[in-house]
Amino acid sequence: MSTIRKMPIGVQSFEDLRSKNFIYIDKTEFIWKLVDSSKVHFLSRPRRFGKSLLLSTLKAYFLGQKELFKGLAIEKLEETEKAKREIWQKYPVFYLDFNAESYMDIKSLEAVLNTHLSLWEKEYGTETAETTFPSRFAGLIRRAYEKTGKQVVVLIDEYDKPLLQTMWKDEALNETYRTILKGFFGVIKSADQYLRFAFLTGVTKFSKVSIFSDLNNLRDLSLLSDYSAICGISQEELEAGFEPEIKSLAEKNDINYEEALTNLKQRYDGYLFARKGKPMYNPFSLISVFASGEFSSYWFATGTPTFLVEYLKKAYYNIPDLDGNVKMNEAGLESYRADAVNPLPILFQSGYLTIKDYDKEFELYRLGFPNDEVRYGFLHNLLPAYTSIPYDKTGFSVMEFTKAVREGNVDLFMEKMKGIISGIPYDNLTEKDLALREQNYQTAVYLIFALMNQFVHTEVYCATGRADCIVELKDKVYIFEFKLTSNANAEDALKQIKEKNYADKYSGSGKQIILIGASFDEEKRTIKDWKII
């Protein structure tokens, strides 16, 4: 069996990673491009996507730790600058990490800022007039420059964690945090003459009307094609850097090398952060699957999108659109807060949706789930919100539906579907909200068939008042038509299947074609009847 090298699960320190021989995918060419091209930068990426390691790498570079970069791209690139400037210079670095705290009260944020400032003040001193966080920070930057003769480097990791933790829970505290952070980060602009380089990371970009309104010198890298691969792992990096691990993974799962690559791509690839960027693999999921030798859900399991599910439901969003039919302009992608009217920007920024393509003429991005890990993880989280199925029973319920259709027991399948429809919560919708009630029924049907696609090939088409679903097995094709309006019957549903010629594409396949028409009883709020031919 192939030897597995050390996977850096949870390792965010570049120094530890390099000195303790963990595997490292070389991203230092991006750093070299950045350090002399502009001064103040921002990068938004989903959680566990390598932002902290990127900042740690920048820290090592600006501390002049040349030995850590031996054999990496930046080592040779620095040598090319030797005639122009002094290379591997050491600068004073202020590294502020917001990751380690839970921000449920004002004291939490104050403690994080005070701890970092106090630590730096031990080295660079303080002045009695500096009584606020911004004045202390500005004084530190100036004194660090005066003491060392070198401009200062400021690195801020996960700047938005206090804001994300309070955004949907305590609006007053969130507003207080925004005010504090706006003043604190504003120092980066006012101290420009003392600044060599600054880099801020986060999940969201709180737009220029909020946190960064004073930072008009900020360069946002988040949607730039040239930096789309700065975090994550590309297909080329995967195949060049992880060949032994892919071979071992294939052996452990009784598949060949190409099948292992296909499975990895389907489950963990697909994150696109720019119009012309490279699709990227989730690095946390990749190193986790190589460490365990098992295909599973890794990134998704580290955080559940409960509040996002709630917001989608409150907004009555058309759930089928999430799988590749969300359209937004660039301003929408960068929108700085989620609300019940439009929860989509935060879904993109958090990594649950990604760019699928870009319409240059209309300047619109099309978004969808990046891969199967996110797709089925998110749909599993949605199912309890739209049906009576509890979260811990979703996998079992999908298995029951799949087994029923594999065994040809359509009546059992429809009885189970009837039970799910009957248990749909109605959210106090009135008779005037019939279209929204129909949408809830449609969503429940869609989720069952979409989740079954993990095990059998399914297609789901949703339109006003109906859902068309196809299940294709080795020897059979089931075509379902669910009429969700109150004035239709099962015969109408079957007539629809025939008029739309859904069966034509399978007529030469040699497979048995089974048509199922179902109608809905609005008064009883359940499936009224169904017919099979």
Side-chain angles (χ1 to χ4, degrees), residues 304-318:
T304 55
T306 306
F307 69 89
L308 292 172
V309 169
E310 291 171 358
Y311 271 74
L312 283 168
K313 194 150 189 268
K314 286 179 183 177
Y316 295 100
Y317 187 76
N318 185 38

Side-chain angles (χ1 to χ4, degrees), residues 256-273:
N256 62 40
Y257 188 87
E258 292 303 320
E259 288 171 329
L261 280 176
T262 299
N263 283 345
L264 288 169
K265 188 172 188 62
Q266 186 173 325
R267 287 172 180 262
Y268 310 121
D269 191 22
Y271 292 90
L272 192 61
F273 299 109

Side-chain angles (χ1 to χ4, degrees), residues 402-419:
T402 304
K403 282 189 171 181
V405 80
R406 279 177 174 168
E407 293 165 2
N409 196 338
V410 176
D411 286 327
L412 176 62
F413 183 96
M414 292 303 297
E415 287 290 350
K416 291 185 177 298
M417 187 65 76
K418 183 177 181 179

Side-chain angles (χ1 to χ4, degrees), residues 12 94 114 310 336 380 454 473:
Q12 298 177 341
F94 293 155
N114 190 56
E310 291 171 358
Y336 77 99
H380 269 292
Q454 298 168 92
L473 306 177

Side-chain angles (χ1 to χ4, degrees), residues 317-320 386 438-448:
Y317 187 76
N318 185 38
I319 296 301
Y386 288 90
E438 289 176 359
Q439 183 176 307
N440 277 355
Y441 310 146
Q442 185 186 73
T443 299
V445 172
Y446 165 79
L447 289 171
I448 290 297

Side-chain angles (χ1 to χ4, degrees), residues 399-438:
M399 178 199 72
E400 288 188 315
F401 276 104
T402 304
K403 282 189 171 181
V405 80
R406 279 177 174 168
E407 293 165 2
N409 196 338
V410 176
D411 286 327
L412 176 62
F413 183 96
M414 292 303 297
E415 287 290 350
K416 291 185 177 298
M417 187 65 76
K418 183 177 181 179
I420 284 179
I421 297 290
S422 300
I424 290 177
Y426 293 98
D427 307 319
N428 299 317
L429 293 174
T430 66
E431 291 301 316
K432 295 180 181 178
D433 300 315
L434 179 60
L436 295 179
R437 287 214 301 269
E438 289 176 359

Side-chain angles (χ1 to χ4, degrees), residues 36 58-66 78 81 84-93 148-151 153 196:
D36 285 318
L58 283 163
K59 178 183 176 182
Y61 173 80
F62 282 112
L63 288 176
Q65 294 175 300
K66 179 180 178 180
E78 276 288 284
E81 294 293 299
K84 303 176 188 175
R85 60 171 171 82
E86 183 185 347
I87 62 174
W88 298 109
Q89 297 183 61
K90 182 178 180 180
Y91 297 87
V93 175
T148 65
K150 297 282 189 181
Q151 289 178 305
V153 173
R196 166 69 177 84

